[in-house]
Amino acid sequence: MQHSNLDLQIDKLRRCETIDVNQVEQLCMKAREILVEEGNVQHVDSPVTICGDIHGQFYDLMELFEIGGDVPHRSYLFLGDYVDRGFYSVESFLLLLALKVRYPDRIMLIRGNHESRQITQVYGFYDECVRKYGSAHVWHLCTDVFDYLSLAAVVDGEVLCVHGGLSPAISTLDEIRTIDRKTEVPHEGPMCDLLWS
């Protein structure tokens, strides 16, 4: 994916406009190629801005970049829950994904409990994708990317960041590193705890 094409997509997404299905396909494919190389636990150096749930609140995301500084001038760690509830989950998630592809070392995306096929069918992302694209194809593309998102990050080797919380089944970071994350979020167990506790 050429930087000039990606920059045009980022500009469009920053205007809260959707990109076409072919662009979504290419973006998701490139994102999976990058994310598959990242481990379950990502090392992050400070300074970094750590952000919680976005939940499709596109204009809050834009204000966050305005106040905190924009990528690539500032590094960000997002802790999941990019979609559902808000009206602009598609634009919010695809913008973060495009920024990840464009600046892979400046933005980290870890998985939240809403990065799940089951949850997004209940809380709005599925319906939004169908409404904006006329089918569930973009939803399938995005939920496939969810499976590749890391489960945790460690800032400066000292601060553990997860979406949910700790698990009684996990005593060490190495145990997080061995989880097979490339799957739908299970209903129980260590991965579920990291995303839901």
Side-chain angles (χ1 to χ4, degrees), residues 79-91:
L79 302 181
D81 280 12
Y82 311 105
V83 300
D84 290 331
R85 298 192 176 130
F87 294 114
Y88 304 105
S89 293
V90 169
E91 296 85 352

Side-chain angles (χ1 to χ4, degrees), residues 9-197:
Q9 292 173 29
I10 290 170
D11 289 343
K12 190 169 186 181
L13 289 164
R14 283 184 187 278
R15 294 190 304 269
C16 200
E17 298 173 8
T18 57
I19 57 177
D20 70 43
V21 174
N22 291 335
Q23 292 171 323
V24 176
E25 289 173 350
Q26 292 174 4
L27 177 62
C28 289
M29 182 182 67
K30 184 61 179 169
R32 284 193 315 269
E33 290 173 8
I34 291 168
L35 294 169
V36 75
E37 297 299 323
E38 296 181 349
N40 287 352
V41 180
Q42 287 300 298
H43 172 78
V44 178
D45 292 318
S46 64
V48 62
T49 301
I50 302 173
C51 308
D53 304 16
I54 298 299
H55 278 305
Q57 300 293 333
F58 178 83
Y59 294 103
D60 292 345
L61 177 61
M62 292 298 91
E63 186 168 347
L64 187 132
F65 286 143
E66 184 177 324
I67 292 170
D70 211 347
V71 178
H73 307 293
R74 174 79 58 194
S75 291
Y76 283 90
L77 168 59
F78 286 90
L79 302 181
D81 280 12
Y82 311 105
V83 300
D84 290 331
R85 298 192 176 130
F87 294 114
Y88 304 105
S89 293
V90 169
E91 296 85 352
S92 299
F93 180 64
L94 291 178
L95 174 59
L96 289 172
L97 207 59
L99 290 170
K100 174 65 179 177
V101 169
R102 180 67 172 90
Y103 308 106
D105 297 328
R106 302 299 283 172
I107 185 166
M108 295 303 283
L109 304 173
I110 67 172
R111 193 172 187 174
N113 59 315
H114 278 258
E115 279 70 59
S116 156
R117 288 163 188 82
Q118 185 176 15
I119 298 299
T120 57
Q121 290 182 60
V122 175
Y123 288 96
F125 184 56
Y126 175 87
D127 293 332
E128 182 183 335
C129 289
V130 171
R131 187 173 62 255
K132 290 180 178 176
Y133 284 97
S135 76
H137 183 58
V138 166
W139 176 80
H140 284 288
L141 292 168
C142 291
T143 56
D144 286 348
V145 171
F146 294 166
D147 293 344
Y148 288 82
L149 295 171
S150 297
L151 303 177
V154 177
V155 179
D156 291 338
E158 295 182 6
V159 180
L160 175 66
C161 299
V162 295
H163 176 76
L166 302 177
S167 172
I170 296 174
S171 301
T172 67
L173 289 177
D174 285 337
E175 290 173 328
I176 298 173
R177 289 182 180 106
T178 63
I179 295 172
D180 179 10
R181 74 175 192 256
K182 295 173 193 76
T183 184
E184 177 64 3
V185 179
H187 294 287
E188 60 184 14
M191 181 173 166
C192 176
D193 293 340
L194 293 170
L195 275 56
W196 279 95
S197 288

